[in-house]
Amino acid sequence: MHKIFCIAAGQEQTRKSPNSINKKHLYLNYGLLSLATLLSRRGVPVIQIQGNFETPEKIFHECNIEGFSESSMPIFISIPSFYAVSWVRKFIRLAKQQMPFRKIIVGGRWVVDGHPELLNDLLVEADLIVDGLAEWRIDELFNEYVLPHIRHGITVKTSSLEYSSSHLDYRLLSRRNDYQPSIEVSRGCGMGCNFCQEKNEPLSKLKTADKTISELREILISDEYGTMTPYFEASVFAPSKTWAQNLQIGFEKEDFKVGWRTEARVDSITPSSLSILANTGLKVLDLGLESASQVQLMRMQKTKDPVRYLKKASNLLKSARLNNIKVKVNILLFAGETNETFSETLDWLEKHRDCIFGVSVGPAMVFGWECNSSEYMKELTSYGASVCSSSEIIGVRELNLSKEFDAGAAQEISRKASKSFMNADQYFFLKSFSYLPRSYTYKDFINEIDCDNDVYSFDVSGVNFEKKLLNCI
């Protein structure tokens, strides 16, 4: 069968330690699934295959099992990160060796980032590099690259493929059962944090509560694996109290029960809304605190009033605890970080320990073409940061944050800080809720800890290799 293959690029290298557990993480490319859904609506067979942390050779073999060599349709490849570029280069080479005349279209808004010619220099065998969101060019791409290969017997729908926030078709996803589904409830942010790629992207209107519920009913399935726990995907989840109430009303009306997770800023969600959302099944909140140092918060442009910001954070954490919502706090070690500024953050976290289920800490890095990030680097340099000379991946620059925290020290202190707030059970619960394969069990997890013998960002000292996972939900 002549299928369109949509490939979510994998990675040969990991940002974090390359242990077996980190390589089990599944990061669904829901942007590509949106594109695949639009193409499928034209009546053309489509399949999306995720590269994850598998080798290009293994994913290419999986493509052949799915009929890759039998199709003349174009291949769409999405690159979510500069870490994936070397993987894509090898995959394209394999594809061109087997079918040299097969068209390969490559995109990835944060990697292309206005310079398709620079990415083309790295991926010389690609036929087209698409800048920006491919969804807005899908009609053009379909007419030029897909229509010429339509075979007899396929009825093509002629309606426009212009993007809308309609349901993603998870039936197109290879090994669908392993993925915890995501629902894109909004796009953009526009809050101006200088480390964020979406700092100037306007926040879109939140998908309606009714539409969210309808989409949940369509994508959730029951099988022999663990319960599906969807992620409400948004760069910043900013529901009004009315939206939260509408979601609760809809859930109660349809007797709909599901545990879900989302990400929010300290100032994007109120304690009153949080208590309502808890009634709908909100179980895990990823909270982008970033720092509790007033100096660092100002440098990040996270807020203009750090005192008020931290008070809001404190109130939100206390509300989450009262409503049995597990909060994972995200912390960013930023340019100019010192023992003093980081101690301020650790002290604040310690004061709120009983409200925190897990902590993720990581040092700031700079992603993107040098021509796009030179001004940003000047700003970071003014705070005392410098580029680490050991960084070897194009588009990725590790930083020495200050004289006190070089790149290595920043990684080490990040790992220790996470470990001090999160044990193995907490880590597994958070990761299995959204990122680990649904077929991956606690026993698998414990066995890999035992075999890897790695230095983890969670505490393994209390692990009992015989016990079963507690029901945290």
Side-chain angles (χ1 to χ4, degrees):
M1 180 181 291
H2 288 265
K3 298 178 185 175
I4 296 176
F5 280 76
C6 293
I7 310 297
Q11 292 183 197
E12 294 184 294
Q13 296 170 286
T14 60
R15 180 175 179 176
K16 299 178 180 179
S17 176
N19 58 55
S20 299
I21 295 170
N22 283 338
K23 288 188 174 182
K24 285 291 190 302
H25 286 41
L26 304 178
Y27 297 102
L28 176 63
N29 191 324
Y30 63 92
L32 182 63
L33 188 56
S34 172
L35 183 65
T37 300
L38 291 172
L39 290 168
S40 178
R41 287 187 193 143
R42 278 285 184 95
V44 180
V46 180
I47 185 171
Q48 176 167 325
I49 295 179
Q50 295 276 142
N52 300 315
F53 295 101
E54 304 288 357
T55 65
E57 291 79 10
K58 185 172 182 179
I59 296 302
F60 187 73
H61 177 68
E62 183 178 338
C63 288
N64 276 327
I65 292 175
E66 294 289 348
F68 183 82
S69 61
E70 302 166 10
S71 177
S72 60
M73 291 284 193
I75 305 161
F76 290 85
I77 301 179
S78 173
I79 311 180
S81 163
F82 278 95
Y83 283 103
V85 173
S86 63
W87 190 100
V88 173
R89 185 189 298 121
K90 292 179 180 179
F91 184 87
I92 291 176
R93 188 171 299 127
L94 290 169
K96 287 293 187 179
Q97 286 173 353
Q98 180 170 297
M99 300 187 72
F101 301 107
R102 190 91 170 264
K103 298 297 183 183
I104 297 178
I105 302 168
V106 176
R109 62 183 302 200
W110 304 122
V111 176
V112 183
D113 199 16
H115 291 281
E117 74 286 355
L118 295 178
L119 186 59
N120 192 63
D121 288 342
L122 301 176
L123 306 175
V124 293
E125 294 181 275
D127 294 282
L128 178 67
I129 306 290
V130 179
D131 191 18
L133 290 169
E135 291 161 342
W136 305 112
R137 291 185 57 187
I138 192 60
D139 271 325
E140 171 195 340
L141 296 173
F142 184 89
N143 292 334
E144 183 173 352
Y145 290 94
V146 178
L147 274 180
H149 300 281
I150 297 295
R151 298 290 175 169
H152 179 71
I154 296 178
T155 302
V156 177
K157 298 177 183 178
T158 57
S159 58
S160 173
L161 293 177
E162 183 179 344
Y163 171 75
S164 69
S165 56
S166 300
H167 300 184
L168 301 181
D169 191 347
Y170 275 80
R171 296 171 299 176
L172 307 177
L173 183 61
S174 176
R175 292 184 280 180
R176 173 201 179 180
N177 287 40
D178 253 344
Y179 290 83
Q180 291 291 3
S182 295
I183 294 179
E184 187 182 32
V185 293
S186 69
R187 287 188 174 186
C189 178
M191 297 297 287
C193 301
N194 60 10
F195 58 84
C196 179
Q197 290 179 306
E198 293 194 292
K199 62 183 178 181
N200 296 320
E201 294 284 329
L203 178 63
S204 67
K205 187 177 180 180
L206 200 63
K207 184 177 291 184
T208 67
D210 286 344
K211 198 166 189 178
T212 300
I213 294 171
S214 174
E215 192 165 338
L216 281 170
R217 284 208 173 277
E218 183 175 303
I219 65 175
L220 296 180
I221 57 176
S222 298
D223 52 26
E224 70 274 22
Y225 300 137
T227 304
M228 278 195 163
T229 49
Y231 204 113
F232 283 21
E233 198 74 49
S235 295
V236 53
F237 184 56
S240 65
K241 188 174 181 179
T242 300
W243 189 94
Q245 290 171 333
N246 288 338
L247 190 70
Q248 182 178 359
I249 291 169
F251 272 42
E252 291 174 349
K253 182 180 179 181
E254 300 192 34
D255 192 28
F256 194 55
K257 295 180 175 61
V258 61
W260 55 279
R261 178 175 184 170
T262 194
E263 179 176 7
R265 285 174 55 101
V266 164
D267 46 9
S268 72
I269 189 169
T270 63
S272 58
S273 294
L274 202 63
S275 62
I276 299 170
L277 293 171
N279 294 330
T280 72
L282 174 59
K283 298 295 183 183
V284 180
L285 178 66
D286 294 306
L287 189 63
L289 178 72
E290 313 308 350
S291 179
S293 163
Q294 295 187 32
V295 171
Q296 293 301 87
L297 286 170
M298 293 291 284
R299 284 173 174 169
M300 294 176 188
Q301 298 175 21
K302 188 74 182 177
T303 177
K304 294 180 180 179
D305 188 343
V307 174
R308 185 166 179 262
Y309 174 88
L310 291 173
K311 185 176 180 180
K312 281 187 174 183
S314 182
N315 291 337
L316 196 62
L317 282 173
K318 292 172 184 175
S319 176
R321 183 181 178 226
L322 288 173
N323 289 283
N324 197 30
I325 296 171
K326 295 173 172 59
V327 178
K328 180 177 76 71
V329 178
N330 295 326
I331 299 296
L332 179 69
L333 296 185
F334 196 64
E337 199 78 55
T338 62
N339 287 310
E340 181 181 355
T341 60
F342 192 50
S343 291
E344 291 174 343
T345 297
L346 290 178
D347 290 345
W348 192 93
L349 292 173
E350 188 61 47
K351 290 177 183 177
H352 296 83
R353 180 180 282 273
D354 61 343
C355 302
I356 296 172
F357 191 77
V359 174
S360 177
V361 185
M365 302 173 70
V366 176
F367 296 92
W369 306 108
E370 289 193 24
C371 56
N372 286 348
S373 57
S374 58
E375 289 302 312
Y376 182 48
M377 273 305 310
K378 289 180 182 178
E379 180 181 350
L380 300 184
T381 301
S382 72
Y383 301 139
S386 62
V387 176
C388 175
S389 59
S390 63
S391 184
E392 299 175 352
I393 303 172
I394 291 176
V396 178
R397 276 167 286 175
E398 297 181 26
L399 299 175
N400 301 311
L401 300 178
S402 68
K403 291 181 179 179
E404 293 182 33
F405 285 168
D406 64 19
Q411 290 285 358
E412 180 63 19
I413 201 167
S414 294
R415 185 164 49 245
K416 287 182 178 179
S418 294
K419 184 181 293 188
S420 69
F421 284 90
M422 186 165 55
N423 63 31
D425 282 2
Q426 291 166 311
Y427 177 89
F428 180 78
F429 172 77
L430 290 170
K431 291 298 184 179
S432 61
F433 200 95
S434 303
Y435 299 111
L436 292 172
R438 291 176 60 238
S439 57
Y440 188 76
T441 66
Y442 185 70
K443 183 178 180 181
D444 296 330
F445 172 67
I446 296 302
N447 286 342
E448 297 211 277
I449 292 175
D450 197 23
C451 294
D452 269 345
N453 193 28
D454 197 6
V455 179
Y456 298 101
S457 59
F458 52 89
D459 183 13
V460 300
S461 62
V463 170
N464 181 340
F465 288 87
E466 300 299 324
K467 74 177 181 178
K468 296 180 180 180
L469 175 67
L470 297 174
N471 183 8
C472 296
I473 300 180

